[in-house]
Amino acid sequence: MSLLFHSTAARLPVWRSLFAADGEPLIEGEDAVTDPAGVTAIACWVPPADLSRYPNLRAVISVGAGVDHLPPLPDGVALSRTLAPGIEAMVRDWVVMATLMLHRDMPAYLEQARAGDWCSHPVRLASSRRVGILGMGRIGALAAESLQSLGFEVAGLSRSERTGAVPIFAASQIDAFLARSDLLVCLLPLTPETRGILNAKTLSALPRGAGLIHAGRGAHLDPEALRAALDDGQISAAMLDVTDPEPLPQGHWMWRDPRVIVTPHVGANTDAAEGARHALAVMRALRDGTPLPGLVDRARGY
Amino acid sequence: MSLLFHSTAARLPVWRSLFAADGEPLIEGEDAVTDPAGVTAIACWVPPADLSRYPNLRAVISVGAGVDHLPPLPDGVALSRTLAPGIEAMVRDWVVMATLMLHRDMPAYLEQARAGDWCSHPVRLASSRRVGILGMGRIGALAAESLQSLGFEVAGLSRSERTGAVPIFAASQIDAFLARSDLLVCLLPLTPETRGILNAKTLSALPRGAGLIHAGRGAHLDPEALRAALDDGQISAAMLDVTDPEPLPQGHWMWRDPRVIVTPHVGANTDAAEGARHALAVMRALRDGTPLPGLVDRARGY
């Protein structure tokens, strides 16, 4: 009963020492597998192509929060994702930064700076701006709390029943939710229902001049709908941490448009130690027959 | 007993209606003064050049938070500044944004974006970064609270005794304070003691690779010391909302250096209604003989 490490080599030393400290065996890559039947779990971002090689595989452990990139897994193989507290805080920090950057006109100031142009625009109070968060999971709830404490008027949209510090709109109320969102934050998981959700229709339902903060997945956004909304003035600016494809090709208009700021999917990265500790917890649960931490419902997609 | 309005014409309609609602007379500019002896207070950013024209002047009311730009006032003329809650929150928002932008490597990502270069750098937790706030007045305390709630390890430096949520270093402990400040935030007032405080000596006392967030006054910073510290790697990047002179001349190296992001003194602007309400409170205090709100100690400079 062993875990196969199938991830970035740079993380291996941390995993090795934490697994050794726990007395938990660790197979350091597919080349090191001597008995495929002994592989119980695989920790990876993308799993090995041929999982049928491992007849006793019971779990795949994603070292990140997203699971939309993973192929279907064989029957009986569970999927667990690492949702370490660090990941949530990191994405929250990016979202708070990006929201403040749009609130405080940074795209315009950065463009002016390129021309050496000292020209101020009126400053608005955060309390005069309504932030709408699409996707109120753990990261969304954390971002909502931080943005609310800065004074923003925050609401969320969620398909699950939620209670919390901010008003939550149901999925059926999306039009009302969009109509009150001066700054729209997307933190949705990518599922068949959410693919392409940031399209001409939804962008046009926002208040005129709204800003878009996108830390979901690239495939949520129709880039041509964004371009049209920017040209029209319906959207004033956008902060994008995710694109489709990734990397965003050099020369893409979104790199060059001063109204769009792209960061290269750096909302969060899993700390190696947090990832290893999560994997150890999964191994313990597999041995003890207790529920797996971070278990993903693949029908829902997260 | 009247107030002379000597500020931006765009703000006048709001002042007019709030003064009218209070039954308080308002003289709408120097050209409208018929009896100089009736002018008790002047609301302005920069006062009229010849204050000797107003023999019964008792107060100058600054419509902003800063007072360092004001000339000496005649004996017996008090200085009151508008420190509206909105101003503090606006500067706090800029400081939180700028701190997050340095924490999350935005200067590097913005430079990469210009080249269409998708390349990520390791993400760090806010809790791994120590923020030091120079100047723990009301704005500093508010910024400290917000940054601490995002997880940063925050401390302040103040020449006054302070109690609060974060550790406060005394002015005599500045070396220890700088040595623990990965991200240094300057919110000091400009006084003879603080002029030029961001110099080669203080920048070199920071941890190597530190970031500078400056929302004090341009004359706090020696730009050539900053340039040398950037070239040397001692400072990794800087966010500046204030420069000396202002406007920063077109073509200045700070506009062009990708490690420096300049915004044109937009930390806050006084909301017209907040400024008018403050002026009304000063007029009431002058009539009642009670202490003036926002009274500035000119010997201290704030």
Side-chain angles (χ1 to χ4, degrees), chain A residues 90 104 115-116 123 250 266-267 269, chain B residues 90 104 115-116 123 250 266-267 269:
Chain A
M90 286 171 178
R104 296 301 289 264
V123 181
Q250 258 187 338
V266 290
N269 58 27
Chain B
M90 285 170 179
R104 296 301 289 265
V123 181
Q250 257 188 340
V266 290
N269 57 28

Side-chain angles (χ1 to χ4, degrees), chain A residues 108-217:
Chain A
Y109 287 127
L110 291 166
E111 190 183 7
Q112 288 178 207
R114 282 189 282 275
D117 180 13
W118 182 280
C119 167
S120 61
H121 309 287
V123 181
R124 289 178 53 184
L125 284 164
S127 56
S128 73
R129 277 246 167 67
R130 297 163 297 174
V131 175
I133 301 182
L134 270 173
M136 286 295 289
R138 289 159 61 174
I139 297 173
L142 197 59
E145 186 185 312
S146 294
L147 291 167
Q148 189 176 52
S149 79
L150 289 170
F152 290 104
E153 200 180 307
V154 183
L157 183 130
S158 172
R159 74 176 215 184
S160 317
E161 293 263 340
R162 305 271 183 191
T163 53
V166 305
I168 303 291
F169 290 70
S172 61
Q173 302 169 297
I174 187 165
D175 289 342
F177 166 80
L178 293 170
R180 53 76 62 209
S181 297
D182 302 310
L183 296 167
L184 180 68
V185 176
C186 178
L187 284 168
L188 290 168
L190 184 64
T191 67
E193 290 82 40
T194 66
R195 181 176 293 271
I197 193 170
L198 302 173
N199 54 36
K201 180 163 173 288
T202 46
L203 296 180
S204 70
L206 295 167
R208 192 156 181 84
L212 173 66
I213 295 104
H214 187 21
R217 284 288 182 262

Side-chain angles (χ1 to χ4, degrees), chain B residues 157-248:
Chain B
L157 183 130
S158 173
R159 74 177 214 183
S160 319
E161 293 261 342
R162 304 273 184 191
T163 53
V166 306
I168 303 291
F169 290 70
S172 60
Q173 302 170 297
I174 188 165
D175 288 344
F177 167 79
L178 293 171
R180 52 75 64 211
S181 297
D182 302 310
L183 297 168
L184 180 68
V185 177
C186 178
L187 285 168
L188 290 168
L190 185 63
T191 68
E193 291 82 39
T194 66
R195 183 176 292 271
I197 193 170
L198 301 174
N199 54 37
K201 182 163 172 288
T202 46
L203 296 180
S204 70
L206 294 168
R208 191 155 181 84
L212 173 66
I213 294 103
H214 187 21
R217 283 289 182 261
H220 286 133
L221 173 67
D222 174 353
E224 288 313 312
L226 173 62
R227 175 140 67 166
L230 287 165
D231 289 345
D232 174 68
Q234 168 62 12
I235 299 288
S236 56
M239 292 280 311
L240 309 178
D241 188 47
V242 290
T243 61
D244 184 21
E246 292 182 1
L248 185 67

Side-chain angles (χ1 to χ4, degrees), chain B residues 10 23 38 51 57 60 62 74 109 137 158 164 197 200 213 225 239 247 253-254 262 275:
Chain B
L51 290 179
L57 185 66
V60 165
S62 167
Y109 287 127
S158 173
I197 193 170
I213 294 103
M239 292 280 311
W253 70 269
M254 294 199 298
V262 176

